Amino acid sequence: MNNADEWRLSPLSLEDLFAGFSLIFIAIFSISVYGIMMKIMKRQDKEIVGYRFLISAGCSDLLLLVNYGIWPGLTILMKSEIIPKSWRTWQQLYLDWAWFSMVSHYSVVSWSRWMAIRKPLNFRNQRRKTSYSLCALCYLVALILVLCTHFQPWYVTFYYEPSSYGMLAENFPLYLSGGQSALFLAFHIAAIVPPIVFYGWSITLLYNRRAKMLLGHQQTVQNSIETRLLMPCLINVVTFIIGQVLITVGTGEGKWAGYTVMVLFAANSALNPFLLLICSKTLRKQVLDLLGVTKIATFDKLETSTVYRNIHAVNGDFCSSKLVSTDGSGSRRFLSLPTFRSKEELASGTPV
C-alpha cells in the first residue's frame, strides 16, 4: 500500500480541511464577484465596446476557477478523483481547452486596449458581432490546438491526485523529454509576446499624446483612466508567468507545492474582477449600487473613458452625453443634451 492509498483510508486532517475548503472558498467568492461584474458589463456592452472582450475573457476565467478551485477542493475533501480513470483523457482535453482559451484572450484583450487608444473612432463603433466573433476565435484556436496535440503518442495526461493537493502527470519524465513541455512553453511565450507589445505600444501612445498636445482636464482624466485600465492586464500577465514557472518546479514536489500551483492558477483568474474594481471607478460604483451599498446619483462622463463607448448604441437611445462648460467664474457646470429614441427622431430634432 503506497502513501496515496494510506491517505485515502485515513480520516480528514486539519491540513486536508484547510486545503480543500480554502480552494473552494477562493473559487466561489471570486465567481460571485465576477458574476456581478459580468452582469453589469453585459448591460452596457452595446455602449462600451471594451466590455465585450472582458466578458468573453471572464467566461474562460470562470471555467478555470471551477477547474482549479472547486474541482480540486472537492477531490481533497472527498478523498477521491471523482471521475473514473478511463475518463482522464477527456478530462485533460477539456482542461487544456479551457486553459488555452484563457491564454488566447491575452492577445485579443490587449489588442482591444491598443485599438481603443490607437484608433478610438473605429473601435467605439465596432459591431457587437465583430467583437464577439474575435472572442470566439480564442475558443476555436484552443480547441484546434488540443485536438491536434491531445492524441499524439508523446502526449502525457495530468489528473487530479487528492493526496498531492493538486495534479500529477501519468508519466512526468515523458512530459519533460517527449516534447509536450517544450510545446506548451512555446505556446505560452507566444501568447505573452502580443500583450507586451500592445500594452507597451499603448503606454507609448498615451505618453506621446500627452507630451505633444495641450490637454484639457477631460482629456487628462481620460488618459489617466486608460493608463489605469492597462494595469490589471499587466499584473495578470505577471501572475501568469509566475504560475508557469511554479507548475514546472512544483509538480511532484510535495502536496503543498501542488496546492500552491492550484492556488496560483485559480488566482490568475480570481484577480481579474478585483483589479477591475480597483482600477475602474465607474464599475466600482455600479457594483456597490447593485449590492445596495450606495446609489449612483449621476453618471459622470469624466468617470468613463470615451474610447470604450459606442456612440451609436446607448441602450437603444441615440443621445449625447453630458458636456462640461465653463462660466465666467472659471467653475465647471454640466449641460444635459436631449435624448432620442431613434435615428428618425434624431433627424427630426424631436427629443424624448
Side-chain angles (χ1 to χ4, degrees), residues 155-196:
Y155 194 90
V156 177
T157 298
F158 282 76
Y159 63 95
Y160 291 105
E161 174 49 57
S163 64
S164 70
Y165 292 177
M167 301 185 73
L168 293 179
E170 291 183 341
N171 190 337
F172 194 66
L174 178 61
Y175 169 77
L176 294 176
S177 61
Q180 183 177 346
S181 176
L183 176 65
F184 283 5
L185 178 62
F187 180 83
H188 290 145
I189 292 176
I192 292 173
V193 171
I196 293 176

Side-chain angles (χ1 to χ4, degrees), residues 230-339:
L230 297 176
M231 292 306 298
C233 295
L234 290 175
I235 296 174
N236 190 252
V237 168
V238 172
T239 305
F240 172 78
I241 295 173
I242 294 174
Q244 290 308 297
V245 173
L246 289 183
I247 186 60
T248 301
V249 175
T251 301
E253 296 295 333
K255 63 182 183 180
W256 291 113
Y259 172 82
T260 301
V261 169
M262 294 295 101
V263 170
L264 281 170
F265 277 6
N268 187 75
S269 298
L271 280 176
N272 289 336
F274 299 102
L275 292 173
L276 287 171
L277 283 175
I278 293 172
C279 297
S280 175
K281 185 177 181 180
T282 300
L283 277 175
R284 188 164 61 249
K285 280 188 173 183
Q286 294 179 80
V287 169
L288 293 176
D289 178 63
L290 185 64
L291 296 176
V293 177
T294 184
K295 297 296 181 182
I296 304 175
T298 58
F299 188 77
D300 190 344
K301 180 65 174 177
L302 295 180
E303 294 174 357
T304 303
S305 174
T306 57
V307 298
Y308 279 101
R309 293 186 164 277
N310 188 322
I311 61 177
H312 296 305
V314 186
N315 297 326
D317 300 342
F318 292 80
C319 63
S320 297
S321 300
K322 296 178 180 178
L323 298 178
V324 180
S325 67
T326 305
D327 54 24
S329 62
S331 61
R332 295 192 309 276
R333 60 191 180 91
F334 293 99
L335 301 177
S336 297
L337 297 185
T339 300

